PDB file of all heavy atoms in Angstrom:
ATOM      1  N   VAL A 331     103.687 109.059  97.669  1.00  0.00           N
ATOM      2  CA  VAL A 331     104.566 108.108  98.363  1.00  0.00           C
ATOM      3  C   VAL A 331     106.036 108.344  98.049  1.00  0.00           C
ATOM      4  O   VAL A 331     106.908 107.806  98.732  1.00  0.00           O
ATOM      5  CB  VAL A 331     104.184 106.650  98.030  1.00  0.00           C
ATOM      6  CG1 VAL A 331     102.797 106.331  98.539  1.00  0.00           C
ATOM      7  CG2 VAL A 331     104.293 106.379  96.532  1.00  0.00           C
ATOM      8  N   GLY A 332     106.323 109.141  97.012  1.00  0.00           N
ATOM      9  CA  GLY A 332     107.719 109.397  96.681  1.00  0.00           C
ATOM     10  C   GLY A 332     107.860 110.525  95.680  1.00  0.00           C
ATOM     11  O   GLY A 332     106.944 110.820  94.909  1.00  0.00           O
ATOM     12  N   GLN A 333     109.032 111.173  95.723  1.00  0.00           N
ATOM     13  CA  GLN A 333     109.333 112.253  94.793  1.00  0.00           C
ATOM     14  C   GLN A 333     110.822 112.263  94.514  1.00  0.00           C
ATOM     15  O   GLN A 333     111.634 111.958  95.383  1.00  0.00           O
ATOM     16  CB  GLN A 333     108.915 113.599  95.382  1.00  0.00           C
ATOM     17  CG  GLN A 333     109.220 114.787  94.484  1.00  0.00           C
ATOM     18  CD  GLN A 333     108.652 116.086  95.019  1.00  0.00           C
ATOM     19  OE1 GLN A 333     107.483 116.138  95.384  1.00  0.00           O
ATOM     20  NE2 GLN A 333     109.470 117.123  95.085  1.00  0.00           N
ATOM     21  N   LEU A 334     111.177 112.598  93.282  1.00  0.00           N
ATOM     22  CA  LEU A 334     112.569 112.599  92.852  1.00  0.00           C
ATOM     23  C   LEU A 334     112.826 113.774  91.928  1.00  0.00           C
ATOM     24  O   LEU A 334     112.059 114.013  91.001  1.00  0.00           O
ATOM     25  CB  LEU A 334     112.895 111.290  92.119  1.00  0.00           C
ATOM     26  CG  LEU A 334     114.235 111.228  91.378  1.00  0.00           C
ATOM     27  CD1 LEU A 334     115.378 111.107  92.371  1.00  0.00           C
ATOM     28  CD2 LEU A 334     114.252 110.075  90.400  1.00  0.00           C
ATOM     29  N   ASP A 335     113.900 114.525  92.169  1.00  0.00           N
ATOM     30  CA  ASP A 335     114.387 115.529  91.226  1.00  0.00           C
ATOM     31  C   ASP A 335     115.630 114.970  90.550  1.00  0.00           C
ATOM     32  O   ASP A 335     116.542 114.477  91.228  1.00  0.00           O
ATOM     33  CB  ASP A 335     114.737 116.831  91.928  1.00  0.00           C
ATOM     34  CG  ASP A 335     113.510 117.653  92.290  1.00  0.00           C
ATOM     35  OD1 ASP A 335     112.380 117.185  92.048  1.00  0.00           O
ATOM     36  OD2 ASP A 335     113.687 118.740  92.830  1.00  0.00           O
ATOM     37  N   LEU A 336     115.681 115.075  89.225  1.00  0.00           N
ATOM     38  CA  LEU A 336     116.784 114.490  88.462  1.00  0.00           C
ATOM     39  C   LEU A 336     117.405 115.527  87.548  1.00  0.00           C
ATOM     40  O   LEU A 336     116.714 116.172  86.758  1.00  0.00           O
ATOM     41  CB  LEU A 336     116.265 113.318  87.624  1.00  0.00           C
ATOM     42  CG  LEU A 336     117.297 112.612  86.731  1.00  0.00           C
ATOM     43  CD1 LEU A 336     118.301 111.851  87.580  1.00  0.00           C
ATOM     44  CD2 LEU A 336     116.600 111.683  85.757  1.00  0.00           C
ATOM     45  N   ASN A 337     118.714 115.691  87.646  1.00  0.00           N
ATOM     46  CA  ASN A 337     119.480 116.585  86.771  1.00  0.00           C
ATOM     47  C   ASN A 337     120.285 115.696  85.837  1.00  0.00           C
ATOM     48  O   ASN A 337     121.184 114.990  86.280  1.00  0.00           O
ATOM     49  CB  ASN A 337     120.397 117.471  87.624  1.00  0.00           C
ATOM     50  CG  ASN A 337     121.162 118.491  86.807  1.00  0.00           C
ATOM     51  OD1 ASN A 337     121.260 118.384  85.588  1.00  0.00           O
ATOM     52  ND2 ASN A 337     121.741 119.464  87.483  1.00  0.00           N
ATOM     53  N   LEU A 338     119.980 115.733  84.544  1.00  0.00           N
ATOM     54  CA  LEU A 338     120.500 114.725  83.628  1.00  0.00           C
ATOM     55  C   LEU A 338     121.138 115.357  82.397  1.00  0.00           C
ATOM     56  O   LEU A 338     120.558 116.219  81.744  1.00  0.00           O
ATOM     57  CB  LEU A 338     119.366 113.801  83.178  1.00  0.00           C
ATOM     58  CG  LEU A 338     119.724 112.680  82.202  1.00  0.00           C
ATOM     59  CD1 LEU A 338     120.620 111.661  82.877  1.00  0.00           C
ATOM     60  CD2 LEU A 338     118.464 112.013  81.690  1.00  0.00           C
ATOM     61  N   GLN A 339     122.358 114.929  82.071  1.00  0.00           N
ATOM     62  CA  GLN A 339     123.002 115.245  80.804  1.00  0.00           C
ATOM     63  C   GLN A 339     122.627 114.154  79.790  1.00  0.00           C
ATOM     64  O   GLN A 339     122.578 112.980  80.136  1.00  0.00           O
ATOM     65  CB  GLN A 339     124.521 115.284  80.972  1.00  0.00           C
ATOM     66  CG  GLN A 339     125.017 116.264  82.022  1.00  0.00           C
ATOM     67  CD  GLN A 339     124.781 117.703  81.625  1.00  0.00           C
ATOM     68  OE1 GLN A 339     124.966 118.067  80.474  1.00  0.00           O
ATOM     69  NE2 GLN A 339     124.379 118.516  82.580  1.00  0.00           N
ATOM     70  N   LEU A 340     122.386 114.549  78.538  1.00  0.00           N
ATOM     71  CA  LEU A 340     121.896 113.610  77.530  1.00  0.00           C
ATOM     72  C   LEU A 340     122.765 113.634  76.275  1.00  0.00           C
ATOM     73  O   LEU A 340     123.364 114.655  75.940  1.00  0.00           O
ATOM     74  CB  LEU A 340     120.462 113.972  77.122  1.00  0.00           C
ATOM     75  CG  LEU A 340     119.367 113.836  78.167  1.00  0.00           C
ATOM     76  CD1 LEU A 340     118.120 114.549  77.678  1.00  0.00           C
ATOM     77  CD2 LEU A 340     119.067 112.378  78.440  1.00  0.00           C
ATOM     78  N   VAL A 341     122.813 112.502  75.589  1.00  0.00           N
ATOM     79  CA  VAL A 341     123.215 112.557  74.187  1.00  0.00           C
ATOM     80  C   VAL A 341     122.153 113.406  73.507  1.00  0.00           C
ATOM     81  O   VAL A 341     120.957 113.158  73.682  1.00  0.00           O
ATOM     82  CB  VAL A 341     123.255 111.144  73.570  1.00  0.00           C
ATOM     83  CG1 VAL A 341     123.508 111.239  72.078  1.00  0.00           C
ATOM     84  CG2 VAL A 341     124.302 110.290  74.238  1.00  0.00           C
ATOM     85  N   PRO A 342     122.516 114.443  72.754  1.00  0.00           N
ATOM     86  CA  PRO A 342     121.521 115.387  72.226  1.00  0.00           C
ATOM     87  C   PRO A 342     120.361 114.701  71.507  1.00  0.00           C
ATOM     88  O   PRO A 342     120.553 113.802  70.690  1.00  0.00           O
ATOM     89  CB  PRO A 342     122.342 116.263  71.273  1.00  0.00           C
ATOM     90  CG  PRO A 342     123.717 116.235  71.865  1.00  0.00           C
ATOM     91  CD  PRO A 342     123.894 114.841  72.397  1.00  0.00           C
ATOM     92  N   ILE A 343     119.162 115.148  71.852  1.00  0.00           N
ATOM     93  CA  ILE A 343     117.938 114.663  71.224  1.00  0.00           C
ATOM     94  C   ILE A 343     117.508 115.733  70.223  1.00  0.00           C
ATOM     95  O   ILE A 343     117.135 116.837  70.595  1.00  0.00           O
ATOM     96  CB  ILE A 343     116.844 114.414  72.270  1.00  0.00           C
ATOM     97  CG1 ILE A 343     117.340 113.411  73.318  1.00  0.00           C
ATOM     98  CG2 ILE A 343     115.567 113.908  71.609  1.00  0.00           C
ATOM     99  CD1 ILE A 343     116.443 113.306  74.528  1.00  0.00           C
ATOM    100  N   GLY A 344     117.586 115.419  68.955  1.00  0.00           N
ATOM    101  CA  GLY A 344     117.420 116.403  67.898  1.00  0.00           C
ATOM    102  C   GLY A 344     115.990 116.844  67.672  1.00  0.00           C
ATOM    103  O   GLY A 344     115.038 116.294  68.261  1.00  0.00           O
ATOM    104  N   PRO A 345     115.791 117.836  66.817  1.00  0.00           N
ATOM    105  CA  PRO A 345     114.452 118.338  66.505  1.00  0.00           C
ATOM    106  C   PRO A 345     113.524 117.226  66.037  1.00  0.00           C
ATOM    107  O   PRO A 345     113.878 116.423  65.176  1.00  0.00           O
ATOM    108  CB  PRO A 345     114.716 119.350  65.384  1.00  0.00           C
ATOM    109  CG  PRO A 345     116.134 119.763  65.568  1.00  0.00           C
ATOM    110  CD  PRO A 345     116.850 118.555  66.069  1.00  0.00           C
ATOM    111  N   GLY A 346     112.347 117.152  66.646  1.00  0.00           N
ATOM    112  CA  GLY A 346     111.354 116.167  66.253  1.00  0.00           C
ATOM    113  C   GLY A 346     111.626 114.750  66.721  1.00  0.00           C
ATOM    114  O   GLY A 346     110.856 113.833  66.404  1.00  0.00           O
ATOM    115  N   GLN A 347     112.685 114.539  67.499  1.00  0.00           N
ATOM    116  CA  GLN A 347     113.025 113.190  67.961  1.00  0.00           C
ATOM    117  C   GLN A 347     112.441 112.915  69.345  1.00  0.00           C
ATOM    118  O   GLN A 347     112.074 113.836  70.078  1.00  0.00           O
ATOM    119  CB  GLN A 347     114.540 112.999  68.002  1.00  0.00           C
ATOM    120  CG  GLN A 347     115.209 113.008  66.643  1.00  0.00           C
ATOM    121  CD  GLN A 347     116.691 112.724  66.736  1.00  0.00           C
ATOM    122  OE1 GLN A 347     117.295 112.775  67.798  1.00  0.00           O
ATOM    123  NE2 GLN A 347     117.291 112.410  65.594  1.00  0.00           N
ATOM    124  N   ARG A 348     112.371 111.629  69.691  1.00  0.00           N
ATOM    125  CA  ARG A 348     111.957 111.211  71.030  1.00  0.00           C
ATOM    126  C   ARG A 348     112.996 110.261  71.599  1.00  0.00           C
ATOM    127  O   ARG A 348     113.810 109.693  70.868  1.00  0.00           O
ATOM    128  CB  ARG A 348     110.567 110.575  71.000  1.00  0.00           C
ATOM    129  CG  ARG A 348     110.430 109.349  70.110  1.00  0.00           C
ATOM    130  CD  ARG A 348     109.037 108.729  70.195  1.00  0.00           C
ATOM    131  NE  ARG A 348     108.016 109.610  69.651  1.00  0.00           N
ATOM    132  CZ  ARG A 348     107.451 109.469  68.464  1.00  0.00           C
ATOM    133  NH1 ARG A 348     107.827 108.466  67.680  1.00  0.00           N
ATOM    134  NH2 ARG A 348     106.536 110.287  68.034  1.00  0.00           N
ATOM    135  N   ASP A 349     112.971 110.059  72.908  1.00  0.00           N
ATOM    136  CA  ASP A 349     113.970 109.233  73.579  1.00  0.00           C
ATOM    137  C   ASP A 349     113.340 108.572  74.793  1.00  0.00           C
ATOM    138  O   ASP A 349     112.246 108.957  75.231  1.00  0.00           O
ATOM    139  CB  ASP A 349     115.151 110.109  74.012  1.00  0.00           C
ATOM    140  CG  ASP A 349     116.437 109.307  74.174  1.00  0.00           C
ATOM    141  OD1 ASP A 349     116.369 108.059  74.178  1.00  0.00           O
ATOM    142  OD2 ASP A 349     117.493 109.926  74.320  1.00  0.00           O
ATOM    143  N   ARG A 350     114.033 107.576  75.343  1.00  0.00           N
ATOM    144  CA  ARG A 350     113.620 106.916  76.582  1.00  0.00           C
ATOM    145  C   ARG A 350     114.768 107.010  77.571  1.00  0.00           C
ATOM    146  O   ARG A 350     115.924 106.907  77.192  1.00  0.00           O
ATOM    147  CB  ARG A 350     113.269 105.446  76.333  1.00  0.00           C
ATOM    148  CG  ARG A 350     112.286 105.210  75.204  1.00  0.00           C
ATOM    149  CD  ARG A 350     112.111 103.709  74.968  1.00  0.00           C
ATOM    150  NE  ARG A 350     111.566 103.459  73.649  1.00  0.00           N
ATOM    151  CZ  ARG A 350     110.553 102.633  73.404  1.00  0.00           C
ATOM    152  NH1 ARG A 350     109.982 101.980  74.382  1.00  0.00           N
ATOM    153  NH2 ARG A 350     110.119 102.460  72.177  1.00  0.00           N
ATOM    154  N   VAL A 351     114.441 107.210  78.821  1.00  0.00           N
ATOM    155  CA  VAL A 351     115.444 107.374  79.865  1.00  0.00           C
ATOM    156  C   VAL A 351     115.099 106.447  81.015  1.00  0.00           C
ATOM    157  O   VAL A 351     113.958 106.415  81.474  1.00  0.00           O
ATOM    158  CB  VAL A 351     115.484 108.834  80.367  1.00  0.00           C
ATOM    159  CG1 VAL A 351     116.559 109.018  81.427  1.00  0.00           C
ATOM    160  CG2 VAL A 351     115.714 109.793  79.213  1.00  0.00           C
ATOM    161  N   ARG A 352     116.093 105.690  81.471  1.00  0.00           N
ATOM    162  CA  ARG A 352     115.831 104.767  82.577  1.00  0.00           C
ATOM    163  C   ARG A 352     117.000 104.743  83.536  1.00  0.00           C
ATOM    164  O   ARG A 352     118.121 105.110  83.191  1.00  0.00           O
ATOM    165  CB  ARG A 352     115.556 103.350  82.077  1.00  0.00           C
ATOM    166  CG  ARG A 352     116.762 102.661  81.455  1.00  0.00           C
ATOM    167  CD  ARG A 352     116.474 101.193  81.179  1.00  0.00           C
ATOM    168  NE  ARG A 352     117.595 100.538  80.515  1.00  0.00           N
ATOM    169  CZ  ARG A 352     118.652 100.056  81.156  1.00  0.00           C
ATOM    170  NH1 ARG A 352     118.761 100.175  82.474  1.00  0.00           N
ATOM    171  NH2 ARG A 352     119.632  99.467  80.482  1.00  0.00           N
ATOM    172  N   GLY A 353     116.727 104.284  84.731  1.00  0.00           N
ATOM    173  CA  GLY A 353     117.773 104.151  85.732  1.00  0.00           C
ATOM    174  C   GLY A 353     118.372 102.761  85.729  1.00  0.00           C
ATOM    175  O   GLY A 353     117.713 101.774  85.388  1.00  0.00           O
ATOM    176  N   ASP A 354     119.640 102.669  86.113  1.00  0.00           N
ATOM    177  CA  ASP A 354     120.263 101.362  86.304  1.00  0.00           C
ATOM    178  C   ASP A 354     119.518 100.567  87.371  1.00  0.00           C
ATOM    179  O   ASP A 354     118.841 101.129  88.236  1.00  0.00           O
ATOM    180  CB  ASP A 354     121.719 101.532  86.752  1.00  0.00           C
ATOM    181  CG  ASP A 354     122.636 101.868  85.592  1.00  0.00           C
ATOM    182  OD1 ASP A 354     122.320 101.510  84.450  1.00  0.00           O
ATOM    183  OD2 ASP A 354     123.679 102.498  85.847  1.00  0.00           O
ATOM    184  N   ILE A 355     119.685  99.259  87.338  1.00  0.00           N
ATOM    185  CA  ILE A 355     119.120  98.399  88.372  1.00  0.00           C
ATOM    186  C   ILE A 355     119.586  98.899  89.745  1.00  0.00           C
ATOM    187  O   ILE A 355     120.764  99.140  89.971  1.00  0.00           O
ATOM    188  CB  ILE A 355     119.562  96.937  88.161  1.00  0.00           C
ATOM    189  CG1 ILE A 355     118.982  96.399  86.846  1.00  0.00           C
ATOM    190  CG2 ILE A 355     119.159  96.065  89.341  1.00  0.00           C
ATOM    191  CD1 ILE A 355     117.493  96.285  86.815  1.00  0.00           C
ATOM    192  N   GLY A 356     118.634  99.078  90.662  1.00  0.00           N
ATOM    193  CA  GLY A 356     118.965  99.477  92.026  1.00  0.00           C
ATOM    194  C   GLY A 356     119.084 100.966  92.251  1.00  0.00           C
ATOM    195  O   GLY A 356     119.314 101.406  93.381  1.00  0.00           O
ATOM    196  N   THR A 357     118.901 101.785  91.192  1.00  0.00           N
ATOM    197  CA  THR A 357     119.133 103.221  91.303  1.00  0.00           C
ATOM    198  C   THR A 357     118.315 103.876  92.409  1.00  0.00           C
ATOM    199  O   THR A 357     118.798 104.760  93.103  1.00  0.00           O
ATOM    200  CB  THR A 357     118.811 103.900  89.954  1.00  0.00           C
ATOM    201  OG1 THR A 357     119.665 103.369  88.945  1.00  0.00           O
ATOM    202  CG2 THR A 357     119.017 105.394  90.039  1.00  0.00           C
TER     203      THR A 357
END
Side-chain angles (χ1 to χ4, degrees):
V331 296
Q333 179 173 311
L334 169 73
D335 283 3
L336 179 69
N337 184 344
L338 180 67
Q339 303 292 319
L340 294 166
V341 173
I343 302 169
Q347 293 184 345
R348 59 177 66 103
D349 204 348
R350 309 175 200 227
V351 182
R352 68 171 177 83
D354 281 334
I355 295 295
T357 299

